Amino acid sequence: MASRAPTLAISLTLASFVPACGDNGSQTTADTTSTTDPTTTDATSTTDTTSTTDTTTGTSEDTTGDPPTTSLTTTEATTSTTEPGTSSTTSEETTGEELDCVTIAPGPFAPELVAEGFDGSEDLGFDGAGGLALKRDDAVVIVTAELLETELASGFPQIYGTRFAPGGALLVALPQSGDLQTIASDGTVDDAAGGLASPNGLYVDPTGRVWLTEFGGGRVVRFDGRFTKTTVYEGPMASTANGVVLDAARGLLFFTNYGAGRVLKLAVDDAGDAAGEPSEVLTVPGAALDGLVLDKCGNVYAVDQGNSRLFRGILDADAALVGAPEQLAEFDSNVANAQFGWGAGWDPESLYLSGNPGDLYRLPVGISGAPIGLP
């Protein structure tokens, strides 16, 4: 487990963004799924590689709300003091008791290459019991922190979204066929929903609702426990919608606009229906923002898939950006999604990132993730 960074009062200094270029969202084709008996093998050996990255930042058009007086220093270990209560916090549902949201460790952080060979792992999902779902060739595999690997099911084409549901099934989004499928613990594959326009990002909230972006349809949709589909938002603001995550404490749904390099927020009511129009949280000029995740303080982390970088936006209680986005790391190979560690052996204060080349990275950030739906 990565050690917690020293407690600091932090300040956010901001520089200019380095432009990034995205991809065209192309996918490989295949259309069959089949199950296999789980077999256990030793997964790829670990490689210790670390690197540091310079901070690059940009500004957001959304600067509403009273920002805290603290700032994050992202280049050197210099600190400044701040008055308690002036930094961003959310309700106890998000932050938890005794959580320090004032002294979040500043970046940049050095990535560690954990494993290789999980080609096609556009996304990754923790089961909360020590397993991590990844993809190898046409198979979905469950990997432990010791890198022991069990094949769950095979015969899959390209998979984008990958998340576990509270009932124990793994959800996978198939962009080419437009299907959302479930994989049971015994490897049985079932169709949950079809007719989706390039389904991409997946998020399962703690109540079991499933949130999904339709990259090719300009939509964000929601499924209940019976996989009844409800369109939450459809429109130009959801063009190339990709990563998605719900902040239930604030009543906000966040999603990325891949092509524009933006993170947007949409107010939703208790039923999960939109209560207004989306608005911008942050933009990284030239980036292709893919996966999205929240920490326990309600700050947002977005993966720049086009340039293999990770950015963090410090948000106030109204989810307005404080300062500008901070580049936390740059990776040696492509990354598309990030998740905080959940379950035995996985560091809860680290982000784990994967991408299509098949490399799995760990990035210690010194804070754990917001609650998610787990079996």
Side-chain angles (χ1 to χ4, degrees):
M1 179 178 290
S3 60
R4 177 183 282 274
T7 300
L8 304 174
I10 43 183
S11 13
L12 230 141
T13 50
L14 312 164
S16 61
F17 282 112
V18 176
C21 56
D23 65 13
N24 61 8
S26 61
Q27 301 127 6
T28 58
T29 61
D31 58 5
T32 59
T33 60
S34 63
T35 62
T36 66
D37 292 328
T39 57
T40 303
T41 60
D42 289 332
T44 315
S45 60
T46 61
T47 305
D48 286 330
T49 50
T50 59
S51 62
T52 58
T53 180
D54 292 332
T55 303
T56 58
T57 54
T59 59
S60 166
E61 297 175 6
D62 187 358
T63 56
T64 59
D66 295 326
T69 58
T70 5
S71 53
L72 271 193
T73 303
T74 60
T75 52
E76 296 181 3
T78 55
T79 62
S80 63
T81 59
T82 182
E83 292 298 322
T86 58
S87 180
S88 80
T89 58
T90 62
S91 73
E92 287 186 4
E93 288 181 62
T94 300
T95 62
E97 295 181 2
E98 300 180 0
L99 181 66
D100 185 356
C101 290
V102 177
T103 56
I104 298 172
F109 303 105
E112 172 195 352
L113 181 62
V114 175
E116 301 172 279
F118 295 104
D119 54 299
S121 294
E122 168 82 12
D123 199 3
L124 67 171
F126 287 97
D127 64 10
L132 173 63
L134 293 167
K135 194 166 183 281
R136 185 189 291 279
D137 299 324
D138 70 344
V140 174
V141 296
I142 307 299
V143 182
T144 69
E146 296 77 27
L147 300 181
L148 298 176
E149 182 179 329
T150 302
E151 184 175 294
L152 182 61
S154 63
F156 289 95
Q158 177 67 62
I159 291 174
Y160 278 1
T162 305
R163 290 291 187 275
F164 279 94
L170 178 67
L171 305 176
V172 293
L174 308 182
Q176 193 65 31
S177 64
D179 295 321
L180 176 64
Q181 294 187 325
T182 63
I183 311 175
S185 58
D186 64 359
T188 301
V189 178
D190 287 311
D191 291 327
L196 303 168
S198 190
N200 198 313
L202 270 176
Y203 174 75
V204 180
D205 69 31
T207 70
R209 293 178 299 185
V210 178
W211 306 78
L212 180 144
T213 56
E214 293 186 62
F215 187 92
R219 284 186 293 273
V220 182
V221 300
R222 184 186 74 247
F223 295 93
D224 62 17
R226 295 184 177 181
F227 291 101
T228 300
K229 175 184 169 182
T230 299
T231 297
V232 180
Y233 175 77
E234 181 175 8
M237 295 287 278
S239 174
T240 62
N242 204 314
V244 61
V245 63
L246 175 72
D247 185 340
R250 290 188 180 111
L252 291 172
L253 185 71
F254 296 90
F255 59 93
T256 58
N257 181 315
Y258 181 89
R262 293 192 298 182
V263 175
L264 300 115
K265 61 184 177 183
L266 174 68
V268 293
D269 59 23
D270 290 342
D273 296 325
E277 291 292 315
S279 61
E280 181 181 313
V281 176
L282 62 86
T283 292
V284 181
L289 296 185
D290 197 326
L292 203 58
V293 66
L294 295 173
D295 67 25
K296 290 189 72 171
C297 290
N299 301 309
V300 66
Y301 300 71
V303 180
D304 174 13
Q305 190 266 347
N307 290 274
S308 300
R309 302 179 295 178
L310 177 71
F311 288 87
R312 174 172 62 192
I314 299 294
L315 307 183
D316 68 15
D318 298 318
L321 182 66
V322 177
E326 175 192 14
Q327 183 178 321
L328 296 184
E330 185 171 359
F331 300 84
D332 290 338
S333 59
N334 181 263
V335 289
N337 276 279
Q339 288 289 292
F340 281 95
W342 291 93
W346 302 101
D347 181 12
E349 295 188 351
S350 287
L351 282 164
Y352 293 86
L353 299 94
S354 65
N356 279 320
D359 293 334
L360 176 66
Y361 291 95
R362 181 178 77 91
L363 189 73
V365 293
I367 187 170
S368 55
I372 61 175
L374 291 170

